[in-house]
């Protein structure tokens, strides 16, 4: 199973980085697979630690991929020298046990060394899931055909219209604007 998470890392120089990342559940931890170019990849290779943060705030995923909101509050992790997401519902601290690299994508096999819960999870929401899917589409705008983006965004909009709160509407507008901006830039 892949959990959609916000991975926080730090560089060897001490700079924090935040990125949405799928974390494949493996025995004792997670497999993280960043594509190049990726600061997460560089940081994992350099420091060998990360925090895998769980949040139900879909704006974080949309905010990162659209660059509309990335200055999330961070907090120190307990067992590793790396920040975690301050507003995470829960987080796992991981250390890289081994990694493979094919030049395009790296595979970091990570072991969980500490975990903490911070706030209750209050249930699933279709609009949040739709924003998450939209954020994945936006992160692949230059790889996917326009018709696929339009078709899938139109379907996801149904869940937004039926079940979104203010935050999900805001995130959805960021994603729609990112699609429009991508097309404006490409046309000019
Ligand atoms: C829900 C979600 C899951 C993602 N999972 C991955 C992933 O597993 N690997 C990856 O390379 N990028 C993934 N991305 C895209 C990255 O977050 C994005 O490309 C980011 O810029 C990575 O580069 P960075 O490490 O330099 O921030 C995902 C995006 C979203 C919205």
């Amino acid at each position: 199973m892949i959990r959609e998470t916000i991975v926080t890392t730090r560089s060897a120089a001490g700079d924090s980085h935040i990125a949405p990342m799928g974390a494949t559940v493996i025995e004792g931890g997670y497999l993280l697979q960043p594509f190049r170019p990726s600061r997460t990849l560089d940081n994992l290779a350099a420091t060998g630690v990360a925090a895998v943060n769980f949040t139900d705030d879909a704006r974080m995923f949309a905010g990162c991929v659209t660059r509309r909101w990335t200055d999330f509050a961070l907090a120190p992790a307990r067992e590793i020298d790396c920040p975690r997401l301050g507003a995470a519902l829960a987080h796992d601290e991981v250390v890289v046990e081994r990694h493979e690299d094919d030049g395009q994508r790296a595979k970091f096999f990570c072991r969980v060394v500490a975990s903490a819960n911070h706030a209750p999870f209050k249930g699933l929401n279709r609009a949040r899931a739709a924003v998450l899917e939209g954020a994945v589409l936006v992160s692949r705008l230059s790889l996917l055909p326009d018709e696929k983006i339009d078709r899938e965004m139109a379907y996801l909009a149904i869940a937004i219209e039926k079940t979104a709160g203010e935050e999900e509407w805001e995130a959805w507008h960021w994603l729609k604007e990112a699609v429009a901006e991508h097309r404006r830039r490409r046309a000019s």
Side-chain angles (χ1 to χ4, degrees):
M1 186 189 52
I2 297 180
R3 295 189 181 148
E4 303 305 343
T5 72
I6 303 287
V7 171
T8 44
T9 52
R10 58 175 279 279
S11 70
D15 298 320
S16 302
H17 185 67
I18 297 164
M21 197 82 19
T24 306
V25 179
I26 56 172
E27 181 72 31
Y30 300 102
L31 170 62
L32 300 176
Q33 302 184 81
F35 276 103
R36 284 203 161 76
S38 161
R39 284 180 63 191
T40 306
L41 188 159
D42 298 341
N43 291 350
L44 281 166
T47 66
V49 293
V52 177
N53 301 276
F54 307 107
T55 177
D56 61 358
D57 187 343
R59 289 177 310 164
M60 291 189 172
F61 295 92
C64 281
V65 299
T66 61
R67 310 270 174 238
R68 295 290 287 264
W69 183 36
T70 54
D71 60 337
F72 312 139
L74 299 174
R78 293 179 184 178
E79 301 292 334
I80 56 172
D81 184 12
C82 179
R84 70 164 176 89
L85 202 57
L89 298 179
H91 82 278
D92 286 334
E93 298 173 17
V94 303
V95 298
V96 176
E97 297 227 289
R98 67 185 175 88
H99 94 272
E100 296 168 5
D101 199 327
D102 66 9
Q104 193 186 28
R105 186 178 217 190
K107 293 182 176 205
F108 293 92
F109 296 84
C110 303
R111 180 168 51 88
V112 174
V113 295
S115 301
N117 288 317
H118 308 289
F121 171 64
K122 295 202 170 171
L124 299 170
N125 169 257
R126 290 177 61 200
R128 289 180 178 180
V131 168
L132 187 75
E133 290 300 327
V136 172
L137 291 174
V138 165
S139 76
R140 296 178 186 164
L141 276 180
S142 50
L143 304 173
L144 298 174
D146 286 1
E147 316 80 72
K148 180 177 167 68
I149 303 276
D150 291 341
R151 194 176 57 244
E152 297 199 6
M153 293 288 279
Y155 177 72
L156 295 170
I158 298 169
I160 298 290
E161 280 154 19
K162 288 188 173 161
T163 70
E166 245 174 62
E167 294 180 352
E168 293 74 34
W169 272 114
E170 183 179 28
W172 186 248
H173 288 308
W174 293 342
L175 296 173
K176 298 275 286 182
E177 180 51 34
V179 174
E181 176 59 23
H182 171 77
R183 290 178 185 173
R184 277 196 296 273
R185 268 206 316 272
R186 192 182 55 193
S188 68

